[in-house]
Amino acid sequence: MALARLGRDDHRLALSAADCAILEPLASAWLARGVSVDYLTSALTAGLPARIDSPAGLLHRRLTDKIPPRLPGAVEVRSPGSTEPIYESLVECTNCRRPGPSEALPDGLCRPCHRAHTTGGNDTAAPTPDEVAAVKAHIANLRNLLKPV
């Protein structure tokens, strides 16, 4: 566990097994909020004072005071055969604000909004020749602007 390793990384933070058992629920609360073990370790060891009289007291205070907020939309998922939760962030459609996993929202849009955006709300509508010409002219203009002088 990360708490037991702290004393190996910095002798001033050496903890007993009893200290680790007392602090474990606090550290678990951090991990339940989606932070990694590396993030937890760096948050606990950043800016340490030169002298530490009570490593367990200092870590208890930091685990309590510095706990990050819960991520909105974080969903707990369990991989098959594992008891460890994996946290996956949900994102919202930029148009209708429908929540979903990021892979279900290509370009930040849900399927109905993506379809409406790409087809203009009409699945059978093809661009007119004038629209095609306008796009080609616009692209040619952008290419000219990007040419070196």
Side-chain angles (χ1 to χ4, degrees):
M1 172 150 202
L3 294 172
R5 273 189 277 143
L6 290 175
R8 292 190 177 116
D9 295 340
D10 188 329
H11 71 281
R12 296 174 296 166
L13 296 177
L15 298 171
S16 69
D19 291 337
C20 288
I22 291 168
L23 296 172
E24 185 177 3
L26 295 172
S28 295
W30 280 59
L31 299 175
R33 292 181 182 214
V35 302
S36 67
V37 172
D38 289 335
Y39 180 89
L40 172 67
T41 302
S42 65
L44 294 176
T45 58
L48 290 173
R51 181 174 171 198
I52 299 173
D53 293 326
S54 173
L58 174 75
L59 294 173
H60 184 276
R61 183 70 185 206
R62 285 186 172 204
L63 285 166
T64 304
D65 292 349
K66 291 184 163 191
I67 190 164
R70 290 194 188 276
L71 294 176
V75 176
E76 184 178 318
V77 180
R78 296 195 188 274
S79 60
S82 174
T83 58
E84 292 295 314
I86 301 168
Y87 291 91
E88 177 181 304
S89 293
L90 294 177
V91 293
E92 290 183 339
C93 173
T94 56
N95 189 42
C96 70
R97 303 185 60 96
R98 178 180 295 160
S102 59
E103 58 273 357
L105 298 168
D107 300 326
L109 298 170
C110 65
R111 261 187 210 152
C113 291
H114 191 267
R115 191 176 318 114
H117 180 72
T118 56
T119 62
N122 186 355
D123 289 344
T124 60
T128 65
D130 290 337
E131 291 172 330
V132 171
V135 168
K136 286 183 178 181
H138 183 69
I139 295 299
N141 184 39
L142 290 173
R143 284 186 181 130
N144 286 333
L145 292 171
L146 291 173
K147 286 182 183 175
V149 240

